Amino acid sequence: MINQESDIDNQFLNRSLTTGECIFTEGDKGDFAYIIEEGEVEISTVTPENKRLILNVLKSGDMFGELALVDGSARSASAYAKTNVILTVVTGEQVKSRIESADPILKLLLMVVMNYFRSETGRLRAKSEPDFSSLDKTKKEYQEKIFHAIELIRLESDLRNGFKREELVPFYQAIVDLNTNSIVGFEVLLRWFSPTRGNVSPSIFIPLAESTSLIIPMGEWLLDQALSAIEQVKKETGIDIFLSINIAEKQIQSQEFLTVMKQKIDLSSVKPKQIKLEILERSLFEGEKALSLVQECREFGLPLVIDDFGTGYANLSYLKNFQFDTLKIDQCFVKDLENNVKDQIICKTLIDLSHGLEMTAVAEGIENQQQCKILSSLGCNYGQGYLFSPPVPLDRAIELMNTSITLT
Ligand code: C2E
Ligand code: CA
Ligand code: CA
């Protein structure tokens, strides 16, 4: 018998087995769950009379092995490849981190459902004459939810693999000084070019990375990329630019975040003021941790940008108690600026507020000259948007710096 789970050296890759191979046996410690991509898997147990009893035959799209993964108990049945199979491996980490952070009521419900499945398996084992009807009914009820969860897990596995295989690429979107019309920095925006899924939007994969721990190594990698990009720009153009990087809530909450950040910056030739941290207004609502982080960043010299300002709760007490460097006006106020007087009033108020509190103002989503002129006349310091450039790869960003931007 070829065993087994310990053989999985690259745990995020697919596992291929041939007919008859054992995936796991009853009593094993369960470290992985599996999604069947191709082929059939037989789930079986041994009756008190020592007879092998087939409990179920699973097909492509089904998941199995998840019960032991969730509560750490031993496998309650064995799994064999009924045909040649290809499996996506789901790691304990992927499931456990979610369960740990889940709502306590959800955890309880999960335990109830799991116990139900286990007792059904026990009953079948005792009866020797399998009756799948009740199991099938329960399964159908959960099928839709399971299907959705499976899709999400597949996407997450692809993302983890993609990250390892360097499918993620930082793009750079110019931030222009509206007084001089020159590029002074860039916002770093991640792109994922998946060979199977195509260009996946960050609004899909960032929240997914954030719902697991993946955002932490991803954020560290991105900082490395940003630091070397600043050094490369300096080498090729002689100009010291700043880069704005987006910081997810999970990163703010992590203990090591700022320590790692400081170490990496200290080891480079980049000054702390060249890395701006964009934090969503709503992330600041996570209490003490976020607020002490704001303080520590200030002490180290890292500028902070409140991103998407005005779309959250616009809690002005944060502006009163903490010094931010920049306030970023969300694109929803810019999109229709030239036609909408209310947007003009909101932008003017936000710009005045920024200046009154010794912050600079940057407007994002500028798509035409009219919007740019209005913002400039209102005193907005910086602008960002398709009018100047979409997010582009680093070499293109450097080319942009060499071509001056002219606005009429
Ligand atoms: P965001 O920080 O608000 O980024 C601005 C988004 O507006 C970007 O979308 C950008 O491509 C888009 N944009 C820029 N100029 C224009 C314009 O003129 N018109 C319009 N309609 N859109 C414009 P993108 O790149 O799809 O990013 C979406 C979000 O994903 C970002 O929103 C940010 O919250 C998140 N994100 C991207 N990269 C990272 C990252 O490395 N880390 C984290 N934590 N989040 C990231
Ligand atoms: Ca941003
Ligand atoms: Ca934004």
Side-chain angles (χ1 to χ4, degrees):
M1 182 169 67
I2 300 168
N3 205 331
Q4 259 169 8
E5 300 189 273
S6 57
D7 290 343
I8 302 170
D9 50 359
N10 192 341
Q11 53 190 354
F12 303 121
L13 293 181
N14 288 350
R15 226 187 131 185
S16 303
L17 296 101
T18 51
T19 310
E21 260 189 85
C22 177
I23 301 158
F24 54 73
T25 12
E26 203 166 327
D28 281 355
K29 185 178 167 293
D31 289 327
F32 304 102
Y34 303 91
I35 297 166
I36 305 173
E37 300 299 343
E38 273 177 48
E40 292 184 359
V41 169
E42 200 172 80
I43 308 293
S44 62
T45 185
V46 179
T47 66
E49 299 78 41
N50 236 6
K51 278 195 335 205
R52 188 157 161 251
L53 174 70
I54 296 163
L55 295 171
N56 213 344
V57 174
L58 304 174
K59 297 186 171 56
S60 169
D62 287 336
M63 186 192 229
F64 65 98
E66 75 284 5
L67 295 192
L69 200 64
V70 170
D71 65 3
S73 58
R75 300 287 191 199
S76 57
S78 303
Y80 288 87
K82 191 167 191 288
T83 62
N84 290 349
V85 290
I86 297 177
L87 307 171
T88 288
V89 180
V90 182
T91 67
E93 202 258 347
Q94 281 176 285
V95 177
K96 277 178 200 134
S97 60
R98 288 204 162 88
I99 292 174
E100 273 157 23
S101 58
D103 178 288
I105 295 173
L106 277 183
K107 267 193 236 182
L108 183 68
L109 281 175
L110 184 63
M111 293 307 153
V112 171
V113 172
M114 280 172 39
N115 284 340
Y116 172 76
F117 270 100
R118 283 197 196 287
S119 62
E120 284 295 312
T121 313
R123 278 217 330 251
L124 291 174
R125 190 186 291 129
K127 275 204 314 199
S128 303
E129 273 300 311
D131 168 16
F132 292 129
S133 57
S134 61
L135 255 183
D136 278 352
K137 185 170 170 284
T138 317
K139 203 178 155 196
K140 267 190 199 109
E141 283 169 10
Y142 286 95
Q143 222 149 28
E144 216 168 280
K145 284 178 190 147
I146 289 170
F147 180 75
H148 182 71
I150 285 176
E151 270 312 299
L152 214 58
I153 288 171
R154 276 201 184 118
L155 183 65
E156 189 191 322
S157 287
D158 281 359
L159 179 60
R160 284 178 186 273
N161 287 330
F163 179 49
K164 280 196 212 162
R165 293 179 185 140
E166 301 180 359
E167 290 165 16
L168 295 178
V169 184
F171 268 41
Y172 300 84
Q173 186 175 33
I175 298 175
V176 174
D177 182 327
L178 295 181
N179 278 323
T180 61
N181 293 335
S182 55
I183 296 173
V184 283
F186 294 87
E187 177 174 3
V188 188
L189 291 159
L190 260 183
R191 294 289 175 264
W192 177 21
F193 300 106
S194 158
T196 49
R197 295 175 182 271
N199 184 357
V200 184
S201 164
S203 55
I204 292 174
F205 73 81
I206 295 284
L208 188 65
E210 206 182 341
S211 73
T212 68
S213 51
L214 190 58
I215 195 79
I216 305 290
M218 219 184 237
E220 290 175 8
W221 165 82
L222 194 85
L223 178 63
D224 288 334
Q225 300 284 311
L227 292 171
S228 71
I230 292 177
E231 286 167 346
Q232 194 179 333
V233 169
K234 172 77 175 173
K235 209 168 123 208
E236 293 191 23
T237 66
I239 301 171
D240 282 317
I241 52 151
F242 69 80
L243 288 181
S244 256
I245 56 178
N246 292 286
I247 304 300
E249 206 166 309
K250 190 123 184 191
Q251 289 171 282
I252 297 176
Q253 283 159 14
S254 124
Q255 293 296 329
E256 299 83 40
F257 170 69
L258 207 57
T259 318
V260 173
M261 191 111 201
K262 285 178 183 174
Q263 275 169 359
K264 286 185 184 292
I265 294 175
D266 282 342
L267 283 174
S268 75
S269 62
V270 173
K271 297 185 191 71
K273 68 171 186 192
Q274 289 177 276
I275 294 286
K276 299 193 182 193
L277 306 184
E278 293 203 4
I279 299 179
L280 288 173
E281 193 195 351
R282 63 184 145 81
S283 305
L284 292 170
F285 280 79
E286 289 307 303
E288 290 300 308
K289 185 80 191 108
L291 295 181
S292 66
L293 180 105
V294 170
Q295 202 83 308
E296 270 192 73
C297 287
R298 295 294 309 172
E299 281 160 21
F300 185 62
L302 281 169
L304 291 164
V305 181
I306 315 188
D307 202 358
D308 295 356
F309 193 80
T311 61
Y313 299 89
N315 188 335
L316 299 178
S317 70
Y318 286 115
L319 295 182
K320 178 181 152 190
N321 297 325
F322 296 92
Q323 187 60 52
F324 295 94
D325 179 79
T326 304
L327 188 150
K328 194 164 210 178
I329 301 170
D330 190 70
Q331 48 185 283
C332 71
F333 303 119
V334 176
K335 183 167 89 200
D336 204 21
L337 187 64
E338 66 277 32
N339 306 312
N340 189 319
V341 180
K342 281 188 182 169
D343 282 336
Q344 291 167 16
I345 293 169
I346 292 171
C347 284
K348 181 177 181 331
T349 307
L350 292 179
I351 294 164
D352 290 347
L353 177 71
S354 312
H355 294 164
L357 296 176
E358 294 175 4
M359 292 183 287
T360 52
V362 52
E364 68 182 358
I366 304 177
E367 293 186 356
N368 61 48
Q369 305 272 5
Q370 278 167 293
Q371 293 166 348
C372 184
K373 275 193 182 139
I374 295 169
L375 287 161
S376 189
S377 70
L378 293 174
C380 189
N381 309 80
Y382 304 110
Q384 184 183 345
Y386 298 158
L387 173 66
F388 309 112
S389 167
V392 291
L394 184 60
D395 51 356
R396 180 79 192 105
I398 293 173
E399 269 172 38
L400 274 176
M401 291 194 63
N402 293 326
T403 6
S404 67
I405 289 174
T406 39
L407 302 168
T408 51

